[in-house]
Amino acid sequence: KIGLLDKYLSGIFSNIKGFATGKLQIVGGGGNLKYLGNIQLKNGELKVNYTQCTYRIPLMNVSLKDSSIDFGTFQITDKLDSIRHTADITQAKLYHHAFNNMRFDFAMNTNRLLLLDTKITDNNLFYGRLIGKASLRFTGPQENMQLYIKGEPTDSSNIYLPLATTRESSDADFIVWKVYGKEMQAQTTDKKSSNINVKLDLTANNYANVFVILDPLTGDIIKANGHGQMHIEVGTTQDLTIQGRYD
């Protein structure tokens, strides 16, 4: 079982499951353990904490070296449709020093996959469910991770944007948005704080419903369905900004 990786990757991933076979050496002691060898993972699964999406990994070959883990190239599926919802992981490397000072280098392409599956309790700045095609790049050291996603919905999707809790928000311009939010709470891992900056370039189409929540207490909501471009940036220590045009 590979659940032991949870404690090393808990700031980014969770619910890591799967079964591995192969030759693996564990050398060193104390805080300087090294895992060396080659293993094959079957029936793997994990959740991406930021997007709350759970993905399944049918098969993956992993090479563990002194200061890096190379996950190779492999396919993933989501929990909605294991046949039509797939993605190609084209780059997957983790650099580390005894699983400290971790640095990530991941890339993904998909024509149809669950990309976002959050509720307001996960992120009160923007949330919802998004199914689409996308290219993704995840890089950087643990204290300054960068996640870039360029995507477009390919199936029914709902995005919720809570703008304010007061009636003054009714004067806002909903054609060109520029929204500022509150600071996110930082997550911490075993040794070092995690900081992630997220940039999303989303192309809206008729598959996407956008709900602008003016006042959650009274239920004042504007529902929009159309075309446009949205650029979203948010981070552990960065305010949310949403810019773009939606017609």
Side-chain angles (χ1 to χ4, degrees):
K1 294 184 177 182
I2 61 168
L4 60 88
L5 290 175
D6 256 347
K7 78 177 207 176
Y8 299 115
L9 302 175
S10 59
I12 303 97
F13 307 109
S14 60
N15 299 336
I16 301 174
K17 304 174 184 177
F19 295 90
T21 58
K23 294 183 179 180
L24 180 65
Q25 288 183 302
I26 303 176
V27 300
N32 194 35
L33 285 176
K34 296 179 181 179
Y35 298 84
L36 308 174
N38 295 291
I39 61 174
Q40 185 177 81
L41 172 69
K42 293 183 178 180
N43 301 319
E45 184 176 301
L46 57 78
K47 176 189 282 187
V48 180
N49 291 339
Y50 189 81
T51 65
Q52 291 293 299
C53 294
T54 295
Y55 298 119
R56 298 184 177 95
I57 307 168
L59 182 66
M60 178 173 63
N61 294 303
V62 184
S63 176
L64 295 95
K65 301 179 181 178
D66 187 2
S67 58
S68 68
I69 302 176
D70 188 348
F71 299 93
T73 59
F74 55 96
Q75 274 200 337
I76 63 173
T77 66
D78 64 30
K79 64 181 184 181
L80 301 179
D81 190 329
S82 61
I83 304 299
R84 296 187 304 153
H85 292 200
T86 64
D88 293 319
I89 307 299
T90 58
Q91 176 85 348
K93 292 184 179 180
L94 169 64
Y95 302 92
H96 66 92
H97 177 69
F99 285 96
N100 292 312
N101 302 318
M102 292 188 292
R103 183 164 57 88
F104 303 90
D105 188 5
F106 287 73
M108 182 191 83
N109 291 298
T110 178
N111 288 321
R112 191 185 185 93
L113 195 73
L114 180 63
L115 302 172
L116 183 70
D117 195 22
T118 53
K119 300 177 177 62
I120 192 170
T121 52
D122 301 313
N123 186 345
N124 63 0
L125 301 177
F126 76 97
Y127 60 94
R129 172 173 282 191
L130 175 63
I131 300 170
K133 62 180 181 180
S135 59
L136 177 149
R137 187 76 177 169
F138 178 51
T139 59
Q142 186 177 344
E143 65 274 15
N144 188 28
M145 297 176 290
Q146 306 292 322
L147 174 61
Y148 175 73
I149 302 174
K150 182 177 182 181
E152 179 178 352
T154 57
D155 204 338
S156 179
S157 302
N158 297 312
I159 302 296
Y160 297 87
L161 304 174
L163 294 190
T165 58
T166 60
R167 295 186 183 278
E168 283 78 3
S169 65
S170 62
D171 294 328
D173 178 0
F174 301 112
I175 302 301
V176 180
W177 286 312
K178 190 172 185 180
V179 184
Y180 294 89
K182 297 180 180 178
E183 181 178 329
M184 296 173 60
Q185 296 296 316
Q187 290 179 302
T188 57
T189 58
D190 194 34
K191 296 278 186 174
K192 183 178 293 187
S193 294
S194 296
N195 180 53
I196 183 169
N197 298 307
V198 181
K199 295 181 179 179
L200 301 97
D201 282 320
L202 301 179
T203 299
N205 55 34
N206 290 334
Y207 283 119
N209 297 309
V210 178
F211 297 85
V212 182
I213 303 175
L214 306 181
D215 192 332
L217 299 179
T218 63
D220 291 339
I221 298 175
I222 292 178
K223 178 183 176 181
N225 182 280
H227 294 79
Q229 301 287 332
M230 299 175 64
H231 179 77
I232 301 173
E233 292 192 24
V234 67
T236 310
T237 58
Q238 176 185 349
D239 289 340
L240 168 72
T241 63
I242 302 176
Q243 299 181 16
R245 185 172 185 87
Y246 189 83
D247 300 312

